Amino acid sequence: MPTSKFFQLFLILLFSALTFLSYQNEKRNLDTKNASLLKQYAEIINKENQWQGSGESLYQQLQPAVGFQFFQYIDSNDSGNNFTRGTLQTNNTSPLSQLFITDLADTRSLLAGRLQVKLSNKSALSQTITRFEYHLMIIWSSFLLISFIYFLFTARQKSSIKYIANKIEDLGNLSFDAIEHSKIKREYNVVIQSLENSQQTLKAKLNELQAVNEQLTKTAFQDPITGFGTRARFTEKLEQICRPQHKEVGVLFIIKATELGAINQMVGREGGDDYLARIANEIRAAFKSKPQTLCFRISTADFAIVLPDANLKQGVAIASVLSTTFSEYQQQVGTASIAHIGLVPYLQDSDPVSLMTLADTAVSIAQTLGPNSYHLQEELTGDELFGESRWKVAITELLRRRSIKFYVQAIRPCRNDVESYKELLTRFYNSEGKVFPTTTVIAMAERHGMSGEIDKLVILNAIRLLIESPKITGLIGINISAASASNRTFVSWMKNILQQQRHIAARLIFEVNESGMQTNLSATYHFINELHSVGSRVSIERFGHGFTSFKFFKEVRPDFIKLDHSYTQGISTDPQNRFFVKMIIDIARKLGIRVIATGVEKQEDKIIMEQLLIDGLQGYYIAKPTPLIQGEKSEAMA
């Protein structure tokens, strides 16, 4: 039962008890007066016990001393003396008189007759009822007053409780308005203090969760390296600008960071991240005057820029600025290029697939135009693979003209008994003498089934150069594709060429990517045996991506393995990495295989690798790529 109802019930019981006690007291007083009246009557009538005569005379004689409500005298001998006055039925106007009903009747025999009376206590009864009514008024007025005061008190309490309850509900709705203390009774100060503390704690927790959520959202939809939107954001924007009801027009840029793979290999992932961040900063600077521009990183090395409410002339002007800044950056870092730019217009109700195909075509063509070039593609020519087809033409022309140059990067041996070599790095040029992005050339050659022709060009030119340049001494490493190394026809061609130049073949070390060679162990084993038969050696590069690597180099027995640069970077802070590298070195030494660390860019990494007894070191900290033919301008490596 609620406290308020319990208290009301208690009040009713209490004041009902007071009423009953008052009634009992008045009833007792009235009974005392009635008894006294009967006693007084008895004393008087006892004196008249020998009465004989008229009943009326007897009535007149007793009336002054005792009041009668009813008087009846019945004479035993003479009916003429009979006398009756009043009624037995009490006539009271007050309803409370029923609570004080008393029997003041008396019947007795006299000498000559019988007397029956009922005494009248009207005065005493009236006084008793008056006092009892007064007491009732006092008692129940007090009850009403207390009830009213309690009602006001509980009403105020309910108001405070309702206000507190609303504040608690506000917490559920994450509303933290200040608490109005004027609406709260003092006895709830402890609750209010607790509520305010809860508000502050919950608000702090909410702010913390919002910060975490913002960070998660930033992670999910904002690229951490560049600060640009992610591919998911770009997809949303692409769908938006291609909707039929969307009336926006503008220019879409696709910027391909073509040197990311090479930079990652040369200076590690940190250097690659710096490279991407620098490109992002250059993009921001170029589009600074267009605050409505939206920038996205849509893949590892690709950026998409949406420039709304702009025409192609404005887009070309910005692309030209970007091309210039990229060229300046290229001079600072010494790479073959920085990035290539494709730009296309977009209109209302564009098709997303067609728009992206057009943009990919534009950037593919830009790559064939030289370092940091841009290309505007206004519409498709009917051949969606125009960009790739252009690459096929470009590679065919490159093969025809033999437009390649060689750079070398030295590998430093860590001990006197270790024979090391220089890695030959190939650069490709277009008909205008501008450098192609090497990674793109190789990728496009593989896509069009022309990687074997590229590898033949590299091998023949390298052999010719070594024959014609006797000043170039020592071992030379040549990169060839895994597809060529796995092709028996190509391997037979290599063997025939090398047999004709065994003195040159003995100086050549052919480098092949591990991931490509693991797919066909039989072909790999054949490739290595054939090269060993003519005196050449084999190096497996980017080694250690999988645990199958141990089984791989144990079975095929290459002459060198070049650890993937990810093992070098951070080795000073990663004990597990050091343990894994040490294990590779120990196993390789037992098998007579030399281990070379790549991507060495810091002194601490060099020192640790030397402590692990690595056989050789390669990286920008050791030596940068330089032209193979002295006197040629050193542009960079790809």
Side-chain angles (χ1 to χ4, degrees):
M1 179 182 292
T3 304
S4 58
K5 292 185 177 180
F6 178 83
F7 183 73
Q8 291 172 355
L9 178 61
F10 171 76
L11 286 180
I12 291 173
L13 293 176
L14 174 63
F15 284 92
S16 295
L18 291 175
T19 301
F20 180 74
L21 291 175
S22 176
Y23 165 73
Q24 288 288 83
N25 183 58
E26 295 299 328
K27 183 74 167 57
R28 188 166 48 251
N29 290 338
L30 182 61
D31 288 345
T32 300
K33 291 180 180 180
N34 289 339
S36 176
L37 186 59
L38 284 172
K39 182 179 179 181
Q40 180 183 357
Y41 167 73
E43 290 175 352
I44 294 173
I45 198 61
N46 285 337
K47 294 178 181 180
E48 306 295 337
N49 190 42
Q50 300 299 319
W51 175 268
Q52 294 184 20
S54 170
E56 183 176 1
S57 299
L58 181 59
Y59 174 79
Q60 294 296 334
Q61 184 177 340
L62 297 176
Q63 174 65 27
V66 182
F68 295 101
Q69 178 185 325
F70 175 77
F71 182 91
Q72 184 181 57
Y73 177 75
I74 306 298
D75 196 281
S76 302
N77 301 315
D78 186 0
S79 60
N81 290 327
N82 292 346
F83 180 77
T84 300
R85 175 64 66 84
T87 62
L88 289 172
Q89 185 67 35
T90 303
N91 184 17
N92 291 310
T93 58
S94 174
L96 296 177
S97 61
Q98 298 299 320
L99 298 175
F100 300 97
I101 296 176
T102 54
D103 187 9
L104 296 179
D106 182 76
T107 302
R108 63 181 61 207
S109 298
L110 301 180
L111 182 62
R114 184 174 65 86
L115 178 63
Q116 181 181 359
V117 299
K118 187 175 184 179
L119 302 179
S120 174
N121 64 343
K122 187 174 182 179
S123 175
L125 179 60
S126 177
Q127 293 175 2
T128 297
I129 291 174
T130 300
R131 282 196 304 273
F132 185 59
E133 286 178 342
Y134 176 74
H135 292 161
L136 287 179
M137 182 184 69
I138 297 299
I139 291 171
W140 291 102
S141 295
S142 300
F143 169 79
L144 292 175
L145 180 60
I146 293 174
S147 297
F148 180 71
I149 293 172
Y150 181 73
F151 171 77
L152 294 178
F153 176 76
T154 54
R156 186 179 176 188
Q157 278 190 321
K158 287 180 179 179
S159 176
S160 299
I161 293 173
K162 184 177 180 180
Y163 182 76
I164 294 173
N166 289 335
K167 284 298 176 183
I168 294 175
E169 289 181 359
D170 288 344
L171 290 180
N173 296 324
L174 304 181
S175 175
F176 305 105
D177 295 336
I179 297 175
E180 299 180 32
H181 290 266
S182 60
K183 295 184 177 181
I184 309 298
K185 291 178 70 66
R186 290 184 179 179
E187 55 265 32
Y188 294 108
N189 284 343
V190 175
V191 178
I192 292 305
Q193 185 62 43
S194 177
L195 186 58
E196 287 180 335
N197 293 339
S198 297
Q199 277 187 334
Q200 295 173 1
T201 302
L202 185 57
K203 189 173 182 180
K205 291 290 185 182
L206 183 61
N207 291 336
E208 183 179 336
L209 289 175
Q210 286 176 340
V212 172
N213 182 61
E214 288 176 1
Q215 183 61 39
L216 291 175
T217 302
K218 183 177 181 180
T219 302
F221 297 108
Q222 184 175 350
D223 178 59
I225 297 174
T226 63
F228 288 172
T230 60
R231 185 181 184 89
R233 290 295 195 201
F234 174 67
T235 301
E236 292 177 1
K237 182 59 180 178
L238 187 63
E239 291 177 352
Q240 178 186 351
I241 64 178
C242 292
R243 289 173 187 162
Q245 66 273 22
H246 193 74
K247 298 182 179 181
E248 181 180 306
V249 296
V251 181
L252 172 64
F253 292 74
I254 297 295
I255 300 175
K256 184 176 289 292
T258 49
E259 301 306 303
L260 179 61
I263 289 178
N264 279 340
Q265 188 174 6
M266 288 191 301
V267 297
R269 294 192 180 277
E270 289 185 6
D273 291 346
D274 292 341
Y275 162 69
L276 293 173
R278 173 66 180 270
I279 291 177
N281 289 336
E282 298 294 356
I283 291 173
R284 288 189 184 93
F287 288 89
K288 186 177 181 180
S289 62
K290 305 290 184 181
Q292 71 276 25
T293 302
L294 298 175
C295 303
F296 308 91
R297 185 185 177 194
I298 59 176
S299 68
T300 304
D302 292 340
F303 299 88
I305 315 298
V306 177
L307 178 60
D309 302 323
N311 55 42
L312 289 177
K313 184 178 180 181
Q314 293 172 316
V316 169
I318 293 175
S320 178
V321 171
L322 271 176
S323 178
T324 301
T325 56
F326 287 163
S327 296
E328 293 173 355
Y329 179 33
Q330 176 189 350
Q331 297 301 317
Q332 297 174 18
V333 297
T335 56
S337 66
I338 295 298
H340 293 82
I341 308 163
L343 60 157
V344 296
Y346 67 84
L347 304 172
Q348 178 183 358
D349 199 17
S350 298
D351 175 54
V353 175
S354 299
L355 185 61
M356 289 305 299
T357 301
L358 190 66
D360 287 339
T361 299
V363 77
S364 295
I365 294 173
Q367 288 179 272
T368 67
L369 300 178
N372 311 312
S373 296
Y374 65 89
H375 179 73
L376 167 64
Q377 189 77 18
E378 295 191 50
E379 59 183 9
L380 291 173
T381 63
D383 179 7
E384 284 75 6
L385 297 178
F386 179 76
E388 293 189 11
S389 297
R390 186 182 180 107
W391 266 113
K392 185 175 182 180
V393 173
I395 293 173
T396 301
E397 180 66 15
L398 180 155
L399 292 170
R400 186 185 66 80
R401 292 183 293 99
R402 299 180 180 179
S403 302
I404 64 172
K405 291 182 182 179
F406 292 117
Y407 288 70
V408 291
Q409 186 177 27
I411 298 173
R412 178 186 297 175
C414 293
R415 299 191 308 278
N416 293 332
D417 62 335
V418 175
E419 186 179 20
S420 189
Y421 64 93
K422 300 175 183 177
E423 182 180 355
L424 198 66
L425 306 169
T426 308
R427 297 290 301 275
F428 302 98
Y429 294 82
N430 64 12
S431 58
E432 298 177 0
K434 295 182 178 180
V435 182
F436 281 132
T438 303
T439 53
T440 306
V441 170
I442 294 173
M444 289 298 175
E446 290 182 355
R447 183 174 301 181
H448 292 289
M450 304 172 73
S451 58
E453 298 300 319
I454 290 290
D455 289 335
K456 286 180 180 181
L457 177 64
V458 171
I459 293 171
L460 289 174
N461 277 29
I463 292 175
R464 180 181 56 81
L465 187 62
L466 292 177
I467 292 173
E468 296 175 354
S469 305
K471 292 184 179 181
I472 302 175
T473 60
L475 301 179
I476 300 295
I478 300 176
N479 286 277
I480 65 171
S481 66
S484 297
S486 301
N487 187 312
R488 288 182 178 267
T489 301
F490 182 88
V491 173
S492 296
W493 174 86
M494 282 184 64
K495 183 177 180 181
N496 290 333
I497 294 295
L498 295 173
Q499 280 178 333
Q500 299 172 20
Q501 304 289 340
R502 281 186 173 269
H503 65 290
I504 298 296
R507 297 174 56 192
L508 297 181
I509 300 171
F510 291 92
E511 295 190 1
V512 189
N513 191 295
E514 179 205 20
S515 60
M517 300 302 289
Q518 282 195 21
T519 58
N520 191 338
L521 288 179
S522 176
T524 302
Y525 187 77
H526 173 75
F527 170 72
I528 293 176
N529 282 343
E530 291 294 281
L531 290 183
H532 283 172
S533 69
V534 294
S536 296
R537 279 167 275 193
V538 177
S539 177
I540 304 299
E541 64 173 351
R542 297 192 180 181
F543 182 86
H545 273 298
F547 286 103
T548 56
S549 299
F550 292 107
K551 179 181 177 182
F552 170 71
F553 76 75
K554 184 177 180 180
E555 290 185 356
V556 300
R557 299 291 181 93
D559 302 281
F560 297 87
I561 58 174
K562 298 177 73 174
L563 296 177
D564 185 75
H565 60 83
S566 61
Y567 288 102
T568 303
Q569 289 137 28
I571 195 170
S572 60
T573 58
D574 189 346
Q576 293 182 349
N577 201 10
R578 289 198 298 273
F579 172 79
F580 191 74
V581 171
K582 179 62 177 174
M583 185 167 54
I584 292 176
I585 294 173
D586 291 343
I587 296 174
R589 181 153 299 160
K590 292 177 182 179
L591 298 173
I593 300 172
R594 300 301 187 185
V595 182
I596 298 171
T598 64
V600 180
E601 308 302 330
K602 299 178 181 179
Q603 184 179 16
E604 54 265 33
D605 295 338
K606 169 184 175 291
I607 293 173
I608 290 176
M609 282 296 184
E610 289 175 336
Q611 291 172 348
L612 294 175
L613 303 180
I614 199 86
D615 294 305
L617 300 169
Q618 183 182 24
Y620 263 39
Y621 184 78
I622 305 302
K624 294 183 179 181
T626 58
L628 181 60
I629 302 298
Q630 297 300 320
E632 287 187 353
K633 185 179 179 181
S634 177
E635 296 180 46
M637 68 155 277

